[in-house]
Amino acid sequence: MDFYTVILRQSADYWVALCLENGIVSQGETQDSAIGKLKEAIESFQDVYESRSNVYCAPVPIKELHEFLTVESKEPGSEVYEFRAVYA
């Protein structure tokens, strides 16, 4: 089980979860749902990553992180974010 850094962002009626270590994204109606789906995606990705040599994995570049944090932002400071440690 590995430790991952996750940013949660509320977007309309759902939550989006972004893993900073590998760029995997998920969404759900609640924070817990988004994180649960993200854990499943991380575990599936790890299986593929460990079994194949041509799979790319890298941390999220700062430009993409900025885009994730500012997409759909109509008013400065109107977005809701949360950082979490996730074990998957």
Side-chain angles (χ1 to χ4, degrees):
M1 188 175 289
D2 293 321
F3 168 84
Y4 296 94
T5 308
V6 175
I7 297 178
L8 289 153
R9 176 176 60 88
Q10 192 170 18
S11 180
D13 296 332
Y14 55 91
W15 286 87
V16 180
L18 169 67
C19 179
L20 295 181
E21 283 78 13
N22 55 31
I24 295 175
V25 178
S26 71
Q27 69 181 33
E29 292 181 0
T30 66
Q31 291 178 346
D32 290 337
S33 173
I35 288 174
K37 290 177 182 179
L38 184 66
K39 285 181 180 183
E40 290 175 14
I42 289 170
E43 290 168 359
S44 294
F45 176 78
Q46 280 302 115
D47 291 342
V48 172
Y49 185 72
E50 292 170 2
S51 66
R52 300 195 178 156
S53 61
N54 61 346
V55 177
Y56 178 75
C57 181
V60 174
I62 204 73
K63 184 177 180 179
E64 289 180 25
L65 176 58
H66 183 265
E67 183 178 311
F68 176 81
L69 293 173
T70 58
V71 71
E72 297 180 5
S73 181
K74 294 177 180 46
E75 297 177 23
S78 65
E79 296 290 323
V80 176
Y81 304 101
E82 185 172 321
F83 290 92
R84 286 205 189 171
V86 173
Y87 293 90

